[in-house]
Amino acid sequence: MKKVKNISAQEWLPINYIYSNGIIKINKNKYIKILKIIPINYNLKSDLEKNSILNSYKIFLKTCDFNIQILIQSNKENLEKHIFNIEKNIFQKENNYLNKISKNYINYIKKINSLNKASTKDFYIIICNNINNNYENLNEIIENDLKEKYFKIKECLNRCGNDVYEIIDSNEIINLFYSFLNTRKNLNNN
């Protein structure tokens, strides 16, 4: 029987280094940057707005002539704080009709919360740079290439109504990797 060598998560993950500008060195020739997307609520838009958003998204897909990876992370939510705030506001209202609606809404939220069906979604885009190490100003070339890709994505997705942010803080990057690698634990704790 072959003995299996246990390796740590640090040895298993392909991350070599996280730079202060948010660029992550994966291996000798590969660098990535993680972008967080703050989405719009598409369902609340009019038909004209939806068509405009879809057209802008098509432009985004055509404009990105480089590889991207889109990640969606679902997080279970505990709605107790939300329920508490609504209950607190009920006592401040003198309108019986509003109180009745609020109580019905609270019951609905409590049901969702008890079934553990409340969740939020976080959206990320990972952009990559594969580059040959034979360049003199390698760090500057990589940073400029990833920055150009970031601005291209940001411009296109802003047209759709989304906000796009670079994740620069190394602690946030580490926490993001941790949450993706420990999905079951995160789902059970929330």
Side-chain angles (χ1 to χ4, degrees):
M1 189 164 135
K2 204 174 198 182
K3 188 173 183 180
V4 177
K5 180 186 173 200
N6 292 328
I7 60 173
S8 68
Q10 289 83 356
E11 292 172 308
W12 178 75
L13 280 174
I15 299 171
N16 285 353
Y17 193 77
I18 300 172
Y19 296 95
S20 62
N21 59 4
I23 293 175
I24 304 163
K25 183 176 183 180
I26 298 296
N27 59 35
K28 186 177 179 184
N29 297 326
K30 189 172 186 178
Y31 297 82
I32 65 169
K33 188 154 195 61
I34 302 173
L35 310 178
K36 183 168 185 168
I37 312 303
I38 309 300
I40 58 167
N41 193 334
Y42 181 79
N43 293 329
L44 296 179
K45 301 296 180 183
S46 70
D47 287 342
L48 184 62
E49 290 171 315
K50 286 179 180 180
N51 285 334
S52 175
I53 291 166
L54 289 176
N55 287 331
S56 295
Y57 192 71
K58 287 176 192 174
I59 292 169
F60 160 67
L61 293 175
K62 288 178 183 177
T63 303
C64 290
D65 56 350
F66 48 88
N67 292 334
I68 62 171
Q69 185 176 10
I70 299 174
L71 299 172
I72 302 170
Q73 183 180 41
S74 293
N75 302 304
K76 295 287 183 192
E77 292 291 322
N78 185 341
L79 300 174
E80 291 297 327
K81 187 186 257 186
H82 182 63
I83 293 168
F84 174 76
N85 288 333
I86 296 169
E87 288 175 335
K88 186 172 73 174
N89 287 330
I90 287 176
F91 297 116
Q92 296 172 356
K93 294 181 179 130
E94 295 179 11
N95 186 328
N96 288 334
Y97 181 70
L98 287 177
N99 285 340
K100 183 179 179 182
I101 291 172
S102 297
K103 287 177 184 175
N104 286 338
Y105 179 66
I106 288 171
N107 290 334
Y108 172 73
I109 297 294
K110 283 182 178 179
K111 182 178 178 184
I112 289 174
N113 201 38
S114 69
L115 296 173
N116 234 359
K117 288 191 175 185
S119 66
T120 59
K121 294 192 183 319
D122 293 323
F123 299 86
Y124 302 94
I125 292 180
I126 297 176
I127 52 178
C128 179
N129 177 299
N130 288 320
I131 194 141
N132 189 336
N133 279 342
N134 295 333
Y135 293 104
E136 278 185 30
N137 298 326
L138 180 65
N139 291 340
E140 188 177 323
I141 291 169
I142 292 167
E143 186 171 2
N144 289 339
D145 179 62
L146 291 173
K147 193 67 97 173
E148 183 182 320
K149 291 175 182 176
Y150 160 66
F151 283 124
K152 198 178 272 192
I153 290 170
K154 181 175 181 154
E155 182 183 339
C156 289
L157 289 181
N158 278 339
R159 287 186 199 145
C160 297
N162 301 295
D163 289 327
V164 180
Y165 301 98
E166 295 177 280
I167 298 181
I168 296 174
D169 181 43
S170 59
N171 287 330
E172 189 176 353
I173 291 169
I174 291 168
N175 289 335
L176 182 61
F177 276 108
Y178 180 83
S179 68
F180 274 112
L181 294 170
N182 292 292
T183 306
R184 287 189 184 147
K185 183 177 181 183
N186 289 339
L187 290 176
N188 292 335
N189 285 343
N190 289 332

